[in-house]
Amino acid sequence: MYDPIMRVLTVLEILQARDHVTGAELAQRLEVDLRTVQRYIVRLKDLSIPIESTRGVGGSYRLLPGFRLPPLLFTDEEAFALSLGLRALRQLGLSAFAPATEGALAKLGRVLPEALRESLLTVEDVVAVEPGPWVVSTSAQSLILAASAIRGCRRIRFTYLSNASVRTRREIKPYAVLHTDGRWYLIGHCISRKAIRTFRLDRVTQLELRTKTFKRPKKFDARTYLNQRMPFVQSDHQIDVWIDLPIAEATRTFAPWRVATEDDHGGTRLRCNRDRLQLFAAMLLTFGRPIVIHHPPELRDTFTDLARQALLAAQS
């Protein structure tokens, strides 16, 4: 719970972020009554912060136009979270943001108080953030353009590389971008296919904004939509295996948006798409259970290679 001083500063931050805000909204956000909000406003005015107010039941507050303070009223936890978040961009496959990340951190380091600067240095010195094996590098520019198009309800056109290595030119009404399973996905209504389609953003090139606009569905839930289709989103390999693992244990182990599970003769049928067979095969071996490969045939060669590498390691 914030102390009174922090709540006064929070009021200032809210006023800077909004054209105007009512006393009732501030009271709700800060979990205080209206009289307390009025005291906070008086406190800010005593600090020469130019705040205008309107009277009445729906009275509101606003900062005078043109007045802004630098957004540097961070707590120690906020400074730490900001630094960690900037450095974690690689976990989202956005390593292209590295120069911008370093620039932002350098600017913060120059203007933050000494105590808060320590939070940034702590992350830099002792916290290692590296991308996992599933993360796929994605164009930051494509992500920015796609997000801008969604916000502005503008169509986009791009070249797409399919799972079969076929390039097509697509135009869509973009509904959402979503990061999951180490990849960025672009979801929208494809004009040529006349249906909602999902595109891996790392396979999108030559993306451009169109002048045509559209009305974005208000109730479209990108996560729900993608979770229902995730095990079968385009990848290099379509995997279908049986493992001697009870379905209850399998459903606790595998995320539904990564692997589809089905009870099959006392074990579990696993179906999913993956770009790298070796990583998936190595993961299955950690269970120490019998495995039957239905598809793809290349997965058998992958297990053979892993066995050969393990034997060589044991003999060295």
Side-chain angles (χ1 to χ4, degrees), residues 256-276:
W257 57 87
R258 296 187 63 177
V259 181
T261 58
E262 177 186 349
D263 188 10
D264 186 5
H265 295 88
T268 301
R269 194 78 170 258
L270 305 177
R271 295 184 177 90
C272 63
N273 285 10
R274 286 292 183 270
D275 289 330
R276 305 172 189 176

Side-chain angles (χ1 to χ4, degrees), residues 11-19 63 67-71 73:
V11 170
L12 179 57
E13 290 181 343
I14 294 173
L15 290 174
Q16 289 189 107
R18 302 272 295 275
D19 290 333
L63 289 174
F67 178 84
R68 285 292 184 272
L69 286 177
L73 303 176

Side-chain angles (χ1 to χ4, degrees), residues 16-276:
Q16 289 189 107
R18 302 272 295 275
D19 290 333
H20 67 276
V21 60
T22 66
E25 288 179 285
L26 288 172
Q28 183 179 15
R29 292 278 298 272
L30 300 173
E31 299 180 344
V32 298
D33 56 32
L34 287 173
R35 188 175 296 275
T36 303
V37 169
Q38 292 169 358
R39 289 203 300 269
Y40 293 162
I41 296 297
V42 171
R43 189 76 173 271
L44 289 171
K45 288 182 176 179
D46 290 341
L47 295 172
S48 299
I49 305 297
I51 299 175
E52 287 186 340
S53 58
T54 58
R55 298 182 181 277
V57 177
S60 62
Y61 303 96
R62 70 166 188 149
L63 289 174
L64 285 179
F67 178 84
R68 285 292 184 272
L69 286 177
L72 301 175
L73 303 176
F74 297 126
T75 65
D76 188 63
E77 291 81 4
E78 289 169 342
F80 189 92
L82 179 60
S83 179
L84 185 61
L86 287 170
R87 295 193 179 282
L89 283 175
R90 290 185 62 204
Q91 286 281 17
L92 301 179
L94 299 173
S95 56
F97 277 133
T101 296
E102 294 303 323
L105 290 171
K107 291 175 182 176
L108 284 172
R110 287 195 297 268
V111 298
L112 284 177
E114 183 64 32
L116 295 185
R117 195 179 302 129
E118 286 298 319
S119 292
L120 271 66
L121 294 176
T122 297
V123 174
E124 182 176 355
D125 292 342
V126 306
V127 179
V129 181
E130 290 296 328
W134 302 103
V135 174
V136 175
S137 181
T138 301
S139 165
Q141 184 65 20
S142 292
L143 176 61
I144 292 171
L145 286 175
S148 299
I150 293 167
R151 182 176 177 83
C153 292
R154 293 174 59 183
R155 291 188 185 186
I156 55 176
R157 188 166 62 182
F158 53 85
T159 298
Y160 191 68
L161 179 66
S162 72
N163 187 51
S165 298
V166 176
R167 294 185 185 276
T168 57
R169 194 67 176 163
R170 302 291 189 96
E171 183 167 333
I172 72 169
K173 302 174 183 178
Y175 292 166
V177 288
L178 179 68
H179 183 271
T180 186
D181 198 30
R183 295 161 176 79
W184 284 96
Y185 293 93
L186 171 63
I187 307 170
H189 187 276
C190 181
I191 304 302
S192 60
R193 303 300 190 268
K194 299 181 180 180
I196 297 178
R197 290 289 185 266
T198 301
F199 305 92
R200 277 181 41 178
L201 202 55
D202 59 286
R203 293 181 174 179
V204 168
T205 56
Q206 299 177 314
L207 191 152
E208 59 186 47
L209 292 174
R210 307 293 286 164
T211 56
K212 293 182 179 179
T213 60
F214 65 96
K215 188 174 182 180
R216 186 182 174 207
K218 292 182 179 180
K219 297 184 179 180
F220 182 77
D221 188 329
R223 186 168 297 279
T224 298
Y225 175 85
L226 193 58
N227 284 353
Q228 293 171 348
R229 295 159 176 77
M230 182 53 126
F232 311 104
V233 169
Q234 291 182 351
S235 294
D236 291 340
H237 303 284
Q238 292 74 51
I239 297 173
D240 182 356
V241 301
W242 178 91
I243 184 171
D244 186 17
L245 192 70
I247 185 65
E249 184 175 348
T251 53
R252 290 195 303 268
T253 303
F254 299 101
W257 57 87
R258 296 187 63 177
V259 181
T261 58
E262 177 186 349
D263 188 10
D264 186 5
H265 295 88
T268 301
R269 194 78 170 258
L270 305 177
R271 295 184 177 90
C272 63
N273 285 10
R274 286 292 183 270
D275 289 330
R276 305 172 189 176

